């Protein structure tokens, strides 16, 4: 069995400075560490229980199979805060049939990001009888 000690998602942005501004300033993620020098230097952000690393550069568009799922405490408040910071809201918060409140944004390269609020009574938080 593989014993995972830590994990991170790696993105290769088309414009690293623009992506650092988006994730660091607009999304407000805190920096865990930085490495290297120059415009393609690496920046690793705290991402809840994991990390998000921006490093290098890619001329290829991101895969449509890649999406980020970020749990937030309050989706409506997150929506208002991000809108005030100039982030385009692809879809405002909506309570889904499965009970989660989801809103959608994209990063500068078009990577979809879903911000999810898990209500207190949702089975992901509380399962009666268990």
């Amino acid at each position: 069995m593989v014993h995972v000690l830590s994990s991170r998602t790696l993105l290769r942005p088309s414009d690293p400075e623009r992506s650092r501004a988006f994730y660091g300033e607009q999304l407000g993620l805190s920096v865990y560490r930085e490495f290297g020098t120059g415009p393609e230097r690496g920046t690793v952000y705290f991402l809840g229980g994991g990390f998000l690393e921006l490093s290098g550069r890619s001329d290829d568009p991101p895969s449509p199979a890649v999406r980020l799922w970020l749990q937030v405490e309050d989706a409506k408040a997150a929506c208002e805060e991000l809108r005030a910071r100039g982030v385009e809201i692809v879809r405002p918060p909506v309570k889904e049939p499965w009970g989660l409140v989801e809103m959608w944004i994209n990063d500068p390269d078009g990577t979809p990001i879903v911000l999810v609020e898990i209500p207190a009574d949702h089975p992901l938080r509380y399962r009666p009888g268990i």
Side-chain angles (χ1 to χ4, degrees):
M1 178 175 172
V2 176
H3 184 89
V4 178
L5 300 176
S6 181
S7 65
R8 65 179 68 170
T9 299
L10 279 71
L11 296 179
R12 303 279 187 238
S14 62
D15 182 337
E17 290 297 333
R18 179 181 69 177
S19 290
R20 273 192 285 279
F22 175 79
Y23 285 102
E25 296 167 23
Q26 289 185 290
L27 230 55
L29 299 182
S30 297
V31 174
Y32 168 67
R33 71 180 290 255
E34 295 180 289
F35 57 92
T37 59
E40 295 177 25
R41 70 189 179 278
T43 304
V44 181
Y45 297 95
F46 286 101
L47 198 60
F51 299 97
L52 174 68
E53 177 180 321
L54 303 178
S55 60
R57 178 185 300 266
S58 177
D59 294 327
D60 298 323
S63 167
V66 174
R67 297 167 191 272
L68 298 177
W69 190 95
L70 308 177
Q71 183 181 344
V72 296
E73 185 175 1
D74 182 331
K76 183 179 176 187
C79 183
E80 292 169 6
E81 183 178 339
L82 292 173
R83 187 174 277 133
R85 291 182 184 182
V87 175
E88 179 184 348
I89 307 302
V90 173
R91 195 188 81 176
V94 172
K95 187 165 187 176
E96 300 291 358
W98 46 89
L100 300 177
V101 179
E102 297 184 2
M103 67 171 278
W104 289 85
I105 61 175
N106 290 329
D107 84 353
D109 286 319
T111 300
I113 302 170
V114 60
L115 285 86
V116 178
E117 175 185 337
I118 303 173
D121 62 346
H122 193 277
L124 285 175
R125 286 192 191 262
Y126 175 71
R127 295 181 66 186
I130 293 183

